[in-house]
Structures are given as C-alpha cells and as structure tokens.
C-alpha cells in the first residue's frame, strides 16, 4: 500500500468525520430549537422538520463513529508500517500508547456517546442534551490531540485553542449544512412562522461561531506560518490554507446576504418566494462549508509552513 494512498485515505476519512461531526452538532441544535416549538407533537405543522432533524442527527453520528474508527485504524497502519488490512494487530498499542492514538480513541469514545444521544427520536430532554454536549466536547478534545496542535504537547494552549476552533467551525458549518436539509421540510405556509424563527436563531448562532472561528483561526494560522506569510505561497500547507480562507470568505458573504437581506425580507413578507431565496442561498453556503472541512482535513495532514521554513 503506497504512502500516497494512505495519506489520501486518512485525509478523506478525516474530512468525512469533520462533516459528520458538524452535521450531528447542527442537527442537535435544530432538535433543541424545534423542541421549544413543540414540533414533535403529532399535529404540529413543523413535525416534518423535527423528523428530518432526528434522521440527520442519527445518520451523521453513525457516520462519525465509522469514520473515527477508520481513522484510528489507518493511524495504526501509518505508525506500524503494516498493510492497512493487517493494521489491527497494532491497533491497541497505537490507540493506548501514542499521543495521536489516544486522541483518536478519545474522539471515537465521544462519537459513540454522541451516537447514543442522537439515535432517539424523542423530544430533546435536559439529560440527553447534556450527554450530547459532553460528547461534543470529548470529540473536539480528541480531534485537537491528533492534529498539529499536539506538537505543543498534551493539554497545551495550542490544543485548547484548536479544540475551540473545531467546536466553532462545527457549530457554524453544522447549522448551515443541517439547516440546508431541515429548513426545506418547513417550507410550507402552515410552518412558515417556525421556519422564520429557526432561521433567525440559526443566524444568531452562526454569528457567534464565526467570531470564534476567526479568532482561533487567526491564532492557528499565525502559529502555522511561524509569523512568516511567505510560506503561504511556498508550501502545499500554505496553498491549502489559502483555499480554506477563500471558501470561508465566500461562505461569509452568502451568510451575510441571508442575514442582512434575505431574512429581513422574509420576516416582513413571509412569502414563499422569499423563503425559497433564503433556503437556496443556505444550500450554496452549505456546499462551501463542506469544502472548508475538506480543506481543513488537507491542512491537518500537511506539514505546516513554519516547519518547512525552519
């Protein structure tokens, strides 16, 4: 098995895991919001949205568990030098005896907890929401120990910032990607009021997440470049970062378009055409956010520019 294939497989599963994590988190947020709307009631006009959010959450959490295990398996293959199909022999040693393996194991454990919280289609209770919140924190902590932040050492400030960055990015991307699936189920005249309220909540949550993404992302970028912007153009890591920044900028523009134009117009008119406009812009933003997660996975598997410059 070639190193190039192994790198590609690790990157692909990392990207899929990040997207699944974001979707699971976004679906959880929508379920909490829809619970406040009593959308789980049999006669609720928003029942279709509730059911869709439940399906997305359970499906995304299932994919996250599978991708987390696959990533840990591939890490064992990479560290042991064994063929992928035989990496199971060294899986336990890597999972318990290396920093990256322990981080992957923590992430996998958090993924299982998140799956347990997501598989139920019952209304979001305080206990289940608390379990899901703990699971999300565990997943983010585990993921932060697998990437470049781990170079600074276990429980370092770099890992803490990276964990917060992962949470913020998943929160932003999650409400956008999950929203692109959930909101169309509310695109009826009887559920229009719920759609408007959820879009407003989603917009406010995304604003908070974006602020955290920018702050933590700036720190990570500075750390990755070592304070030397020249590495952005002279390394594959820098090229991936520029692509990621470009996708984020485009997603921000679409989000701003919905927040400052589409949503106010929809709130004033409650018209079907305006609802379609908001949803279609959201779908485009969701595609860009998926690209952001792919670029982030490439970054995590590339040598930082500062290391190459040094």
């Amino acid at each position: 098995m070639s190193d190039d294939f192994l790198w590609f497989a690790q990157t692909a599963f990392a990207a899929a895991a990040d997207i699944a994590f974001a979707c699971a988190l976004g679906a959880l947020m929508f379920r909490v919001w829809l619970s406040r709307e009593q959308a789980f009631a049999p006669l609720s006009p928003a029942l279709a949205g509730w059911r869709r959010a439940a399906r997305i959450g359970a499906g995304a959490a299932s994919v996250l568990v599978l991708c987390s295990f696959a990533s840990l398996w591939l890490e064992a293959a990479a560290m042991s030098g064994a063929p992928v199909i035989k990496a199971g022999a060294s899986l336990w040693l890597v999972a318990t005896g290396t920093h990256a393996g322990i981080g992957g194991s923590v992430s996998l454990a958090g993924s299982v907890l998140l799956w347990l919280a997501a598989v139920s289609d019952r209304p979001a209770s305080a206990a289940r929401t608390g379990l899901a919140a703990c699971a999300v924190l565990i997943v983010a902590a585990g993921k932060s120990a697998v990437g470049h932040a781990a170079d600074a050492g276990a429980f370092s400030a770099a890992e803490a910032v990276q964990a917060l960055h992962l949470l913020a990015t998943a929160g932003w991307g999650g409400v956008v990607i999950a929203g692109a699936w959930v909101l169309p189920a509310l695109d009826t005249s009887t559920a229009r009021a719920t759609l408007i309220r959820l879009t407003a909540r989603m917009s406010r949550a995304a604003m908070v997440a974006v602020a955290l993404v920018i702050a933590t992302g700036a720190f990570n970028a500075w750390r990755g470049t070592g304070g030397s912007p020249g590495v952005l153009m002279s390394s594959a890591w820098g090229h991936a970062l520029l692509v990621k920044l470009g996708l984020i900028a485009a997603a921000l523009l679409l989000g701003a378009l919905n927040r400052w134009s589409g949503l106010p117009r929809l709130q004033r008119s409650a018209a079907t055409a305006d609802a379609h406009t908001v949803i279609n812009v959201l779908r485009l933003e969701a595609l860009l956010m998926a690209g952001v997660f792919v670029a982030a996975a490439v970054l995590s598997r590339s040598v930082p520019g500062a290391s190459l410059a040094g």
Side-chain angles (χ1 to χ4, degrees):
M1 193 71 65
S2 69
D3 290 340
D4 286 344
F5 178 85
L6 186 58
W7 180 91
F8 179 82
Q10 288 178 297
T11 304
F13 276 107
D18 287 347
I19 294 173
F21 179 46
C23 287
L25 177 56
L28 171 66
M29 296 172 72
F30 272 101
R31 289 184 69 178
V32 171
W33 293 333
L34 285 165
S35 291
R36 296 173 183 172
E37 299 279 341
Q38 299 293 307
F40 50 81
L43 297 180
S44 171
L47 180 60
W50 165 261
R51 289 174 173 168
R52 186 170 295 186
R55 289 196 300 268
I56 292 170
S62 300
V63 172
L64 177 60
V65 171
L66 293 175
C67 289
S68 297
F69 180 77
S71 294
L72 189 58
W73 186 284
L74 291 170
E75 191 68 31
M79 288 190 171
S80 66
V84 171
I85 196 171
K86 297 181 179 180
S90 57
L91 182 62
W92 178 255
L93 180 61
V94 170
T96 60
T98 66
H99 190 75
I102 292 172
S105 299
V106 170
S107 180
L108 176 58
S111 301
V112 173
L113 288 178
L114 186 57
W115 178 82
L116 290 173
V119 289
S120 174
D121 60 355
R122 295 180 180 179
S125 64
R128 189 178 298 111
T129 302
L131 174 63
C134 289
V136 166
L137 292 175
I138 292 171
V139 172
K143 284 180 172 292
S144 69
V146 176
H148 299 308
D151 297 340
F155 307 107
S156 62
E159 280 197 357
V161 171
Q162 177 63 6
L164 182 57
H165 182 72
L166 291 171
L167 283 172
T169 308
W172 177 23
V175 295
V176 169
I177 297 174
W181 287 93
V182 173
L183 293 187
L186 302 173
D187 189 18
T188 62
S189 58
T190 54
R192 187 64 43 77
T194 301
L195 183 148
I196 293 172
R197 287 192 293 270
L198 256 63
T199 303
R201 286 172 177 163
M202 183 186 74
S203 181
R204 289 193 294 269
M207 278 194 66
V208 175
V210 165
L212 291 173
V213 167
I214 293 173
T216 54
F219 174 84
N220 287 340
W222 171 81
R223 186 171 177 273
T225 60
S228 176
V231 300
L232 293 176
M233 301 304 299
S234 61
S235 66
W237 178 90
H239 298 161
L241 179 58
L242 290 174
V243 170
K244 180 182 176 182
L245 292 175
L247 291 169
I248 288 176
L252 283 173
L253 286 175
L254 291 177
L257 179 63
N258 255 350
R259 178 170 179 80
W260 304 115
S261 177
L263 179 56
R265 190 165 58 247
L266 175 60
Q267 289 172 328
R268 289 192 301 268
S269 68
T272 299
D274 291 330
H276 288 173
T277 298
V278 168
I279 291 172
N280 288 335
V281 171
L282 186 64
R283 284 170 170 164
L284 292 176
E285 187 180 355
L287 288 175
L288 290 172
M289 289 307 302
V292 169
F293 288 118
V294 173
V298 173
L299 275 172
S300 69
R301 292 291 169 181
S302 302
V303 180
S307 299
L308 294 174

